[in-house]
Amino acid sequence: MTDPDVSLEHSAGKTLERPRVLSGMRPTGRLHLGNYMGALYNWVKLQHEYECYFFIADWHALTTDYADPSRLKQNVYDLALDFLAGGLDPDHCTIFVQSHVPQHAELNLLFSMFTPLSLLERVPTYKDQQEQLREKDLATYGFLGYPLLQSADILLYKPDYVPVGQDQESHVELTREVARKFNFLYGPKGTPSVTPDNNSFNQNDVDYARNIDDLLHTRTILPDPQVLLTPSPKLPGIDGRKMSKSYGNAILMTDPFSVVMEKTHSMSNGGQRPTQYDPGNPEICPVGDLHRIFSEPSVDAHIRTGCLTATIRCDECKHLLGSAIGSKTHGILDRRLRLEEDPDRVWGILEEGTRNATRRAEETMREIRNVTGLSRDRSGVRVATPTYGPGSQTNVRDLTIMKAWWDLDSPTLLRNMREQWRADLVPTETALKKDTEGVWLTRNNRRVFSTASTEHEGVDGLWKFSVKPKSYEILVLLCWGKDFLMHDFVVPQKLYVSQWTAAKKAAGKNDILFSVEREDGRYALRLPLSEAIDITATESDYAILGT
Ligand code: TRP
């Protein structure tokens, strides 16, 4: 007989999930057609095929606009509106604001510990942008760290793919190097003993770490995300230069039709056709470039021959372009206007997205805090009076100061032990709710039963338990003895469910009597009438309680 919850756990395996995608955009005002075609248009398609996370990178905006944050929040809101108007659907993807998930900053800080300055100085966008934005002082720590923050953005969600334009490829490349270095430093043991060169990520070290990883089939902590290069067609602005907000030559995704018409009519034709009797070349005309992207093939063909043979006038050609763009954008504008009337809905979508993203991000951070010595529980901290064999200090909890408990009656002692466990051993971010005595509920309503061994004077390494014949999703076994030291095992149902079912049947109305035994540094759960179950790995493992 299988327990429904156990089979659920199996179906949550990564193999059954869709590949994950993450990308972000800085909030710099309303999106223009270049932004739309270069990113959002592609994201909208991806959301149906992948598990997608899309966010608004407000911290990244501050790296260059720190001196004037007055428009930042408005820009964030505007970008959220544009995301939704452009077709991102909160039922199909997670949309959130970067700074609302502070785990991004936490991971950025951790990465900064081992990222050599020289590596960041070598990222090509660093110098390029400094030169292009000369009016701003970008000789800052934050701006140098721009691509490292981006690495944190990405790796926090462990995506398979990162859809970006070519200008961002170097940042994803850095991300992959950061991930490898992280895995090298903190990944599962068995990695080589050579220490990586401190001034750069030495390629040999990195390759070695990766190969060893493959060889040992160990699970690396951070993935190796791939760029999903967004095809970005040549998209000129109305003056013929690349469409860009700072050139003031952009057609917005949500320009009203009349404005689109006005803008297309004022477009440069590349200085061709001195008179309308002269033929032109649509291949070197910005109007021709935009036709190719936005017009139906028949219209596109019509203006091309018309231009080459001087049988179409430029204003007619521009008019056709305005109509083509308008027919593609009017739905977007419509949606934007409707959303503007419902700000509660928009903020609600961001809040929901933040919750979703936080859950995913926190999952990664727990893992990362664990391997960097920053987890919030007490495991691994040496206690004052280690009396067990070598190495046994880790995970042993010291109850010496609670000595007085030993004179209490056993129900009170048990109650104290449970409360102590809840207060001191369960990581603070685990939101356990007390249900009935001994029973706690996790955030997703799994029943946790915690109980302590029964004998004051038990033999060390043999702890006896007596438990009502009921079912629990997670069994917490607090093993303590006359030496005042305690071991805590957090045992998921799937480990013991069949033996438990048999024991329950045999016990009838009586308590199930069982024990935990230590042998050679391993711990076994021994239920009546069955083989011992190794529970060593469950010691102090609170990850399964969730957050
Ligand atoms: N730097 C990106 C840009 O300017 C925005 C960004 C920030 C991003 N974090 C990211 C993109 C993470 C992809 C993944 O376009």
Side-chain angles (χ1 to χ4, degrees):
M1 205 180 78
T2 48
D3 189 279
D5 198 61
V6 172
S7 50
L8 247 185
E9 223 169 295
H10 283 297
S11 67
K14 171 88 178 138
T15 44
L16 296 176
E17 289 169 16
R18 295 178 297 171
R20 195 174 296 148
V21 157
L22 170 127
S23 196
M25 218 186 272
R26 275 172 306 144
T28 52
R30 291 186 171 218
L31 296 184
H32 56 63
L33 294 178
N35 307 132
Y36 176 59
M37 292 311 297
L40 189 56
Y41 176 75
N42 192 40
W43 294 4
V44 170
K45 285 189 285 184
L46 292 171
Q47 69 183 337
H48 299 293
E49 276 172 66
Y50 298 96
E51 178 193 346
C52 288
Y53 293 82
F54 298 121
F55 71 95
I56 298 172
D58 53 349
W59 272 324
H60 275 108
L62 270 189
T63 62
T64 51
D65 298 341
Y66 58 85
D68 176 19
S70 61
R71 280 190 308 274
L72 186 54
K73 198 187 236 179
Q74 183 63 47
N75 284 347
V76 166
Y77 183 66
D78 272 332
L79 187 53
L81 282 170
D82 273 352
F83 275 5
L84 296 167
L88 289 189
D89 178 349
D91 289 336
H92 284 103
C93 65
T94 296
I95 305 166
F96 65 100
V97 179
Q98 181 188 36
S99 70
H100 298 182
V101 184
Q103 283 84 350
H104 290 240
E106 185 183 0
L107 189 54
N108 178 49
L109 178 78
L110 274 173
F111 285 167
S112 76
M113 303 299 169
F114 62 77
T115 302
L117 285 179
S118 57
L119 200 71
L120 295 174
E121 286 159 353
R122 260 189 268 135
V123 174
T125 50
Y126 177 57
K127 291 250 153 59
D128 290 355
Q129 288 285 97
Q130 276 187 340
E131 264 162 40
Q132 278 188 23
L133 302 173
R134 268 179 201 284
E135 72 282 5
K136 295 178 179 157
D137 177 6
L138 296 181
T140 58
Y141 174 51
F143 188 67
L144 179 65
Y146 184 110
L148 196 62
L149 177 58
Q150 187 162 347
S151 302
D153 294 339
I154 295 171
L155 294 170
L156 205 42
Y157 299 89
K158 301 192 178 183
D160 300 282
Y161 302 108
V162 185
V164 287
Q166 208 180 354
D167 61 318
Q168 297 293 314
E169 264 187 305
S170 63
H171 295 172
V172 181
E173 193 39 56
L174 177 83
T175 302
R176 291 147 55 93
E177 284 197 54
V178 169
R180 283 178 221 137
K181 171 98 172 206
F182 183 95
N183 290 335
F184 177 86
L185 289 171
Y186 313 114
K189 290 309 160 204
T191 38
S193 56
V194 278
T195 41
D197 172 354
N198 231 0
N199 294 314
S200 69
F201 299 162
N202 182 310
Q203 195 55 42
N204 286 337
D205 296 340
V206 164
D207 286 344
Y208 189 33
R210 210 168 5 168
N211 292 339
I212 286 272
D213 240 32
D214 288 347
L215 275 178
L216 298 176
H217 302 289
T218 48
R219 193 169 50 98
T220 51
I221 298 173
L222 294 177
D224 197 29
Q226 306 295 312
V227 170
L228 205 60
L229 202 58
T230 311
S232 43
K234 184 177 164 206
L235 216 144
I238 54 183
D239 60 0
R241 291 186 291 169
K242 181 178 164 292
M243 190 180 289
S244 156
K245 185 181 173 232
S246 50
Y247 293 154
N249 65 358
I251 301 173
L252 300 186
M253 194 180 81
T254 49
D255 270 339
F257 186 60
S258 60
V259 176
V260 173
M261 277 301 184
E262 227 170 85
K263 286 182 177 171
T264 49
H265 273 285
S266 70
M267 275 187 83
S268 147
N269 69 357
Q272 310 182 74
R273 304 188 66 184
T275 78
Q276 292 295 303
Y277 302 107
D278 301 305
N281 179 1
E283 302 305 322
I284 55 168
C285 173
V287 182
D289 288 337
L290 291 187
H291 265 295
R292 178 146 280 164
I293 298 162
F294 294 102
S295 288
E296 297 302 320
S298 61
V299 175
D300 187 47
H302 170 67
I303 65 99
R304 267 163 220 282
T305 11
C307 184
L308 290 166
T309 56
T311 54
I312 188 172
R313 299 175 53 84
C314 282
D315 56 3
E316 200 184 323
C317 175
K318 291 171 178 177
H319 187 85
L320 287 173
L321 175 63
S323 306
I325 293 176
S327 74
K328 294 256 148 68
T329 58
H330 84 266
I332 299 178
L333 175 60
D334 258 18
R335 263 201 299 273
R336 165 123 190 170
L337 293 174
R338 261 181 287 129
L339 284 161
E340 279 175 2
E341 285 170 13
D342 197 357
D344 286 349
R345 168 139 191 268
V346 177
W347 289 113
I349 289 169
L350 292 179
E351 265 168 41
E352 167 81 30
T354 300
R355 257 195 305 279
N356 233 341
T358 303
R359 204 174 316 122
R360 190 85 227 15
E362 183 57 17
E363 212 175 289
T364 306
M365 279 319 297
R366 272 164 165 266
E367 213 179 343
I368 287 180
R369 289 187 207 112
N370 275 338
V371 297
T372 50
L374 300 168
S375 67
R376 296 172 194 178
D377 64 83
R378 296 181 176 190
S379 66
V381 176
R382 194 159 352 130
V383 295
T385 51
T387 55
Y388 294 154
S392 63
Q393 299 93 313
T394 48
N395 294 330
V396 177
R397 290 29 182 359
D398 190 354
L399 295 178
T400 312
I401 54 169
M402 264 65 96
K403 256 183 185 153
W405 288 1
W406 268 234
D407 303 324
L408 299 170
D409 60 281
S410 43
T412 313
L413 174 63
L414 176 58
R415 196 163 329 123
N416 284 356
M417 200 82 81
R418 281 174 175 150
E419 296 298 333
Q420 176 75 16
W421 165 77
R422 172 71 190 94
D424 271 4
L425 296 184
V426 179
T428 47
E429 68 273 25
T430 304
L432 280 194
K433 276 211 308 270
K434 190 160 176 179
D435 189 32
T436 50
E437 185 59 35
V439 179
W440 314 76
L441 294 176
T442 66
R443 212 192 283 285
N444 51 7
N445 278 326
R446 303 175 79 197
R447 283 159 62 80
V448 179
F449 181 65
S450 76
T451 190
S453 49
T454 50
E455 307 260 323
H456 289 57
E457 301 294 330
V459 185
D460 289 338
L462 175 67
W463 296 282
K464 295 195 172 162
F465 291 84
S466 169
V467 170
K468 294 243 171 323
K470 294 189 182 167
S471 292
Y472 307 100
E473 270 102 32
I474 292 160
L475 194 57
V476 175
L477 301 173
L478 306 175
C479 301
W480 58 278
K482 56 182 191 248
D483 54 7
F484 306 115
L485 297 180
M486 180 156 92
H487 292 265
D488 48 331
F489 299 95
V490 189
V491 193
Q493 192 176 38
K494 63 176 180 214
L495 282 190
Y496 63 85
V497 66
S498 60
Q499 294 90 332
W500 189 263
T501 309
K504 228 164 62 175
K505 209 177 258 172
K509 284 196 158 52
N510 300 321
D511 280 8
I512 301 177
L513 302 176
F514 62 92
S515 60
V516 171
E517 294 164 24
R518 184 181 52 224
E519 205 184 310
D520 297 332
R522 303 200 69 81
Y523 298 87
L525 167 62
R526 198 178 286 279
L527 284 159
L529 315 169
S530 39
E531 293 285 295
I533 303 161
D534 191 333
I535 56 169
T536 314
T538 70
E539 183 160 12
S540 306
D541 184 7
Y542 288 96
I544 62 166
L545 297 188
T547 46

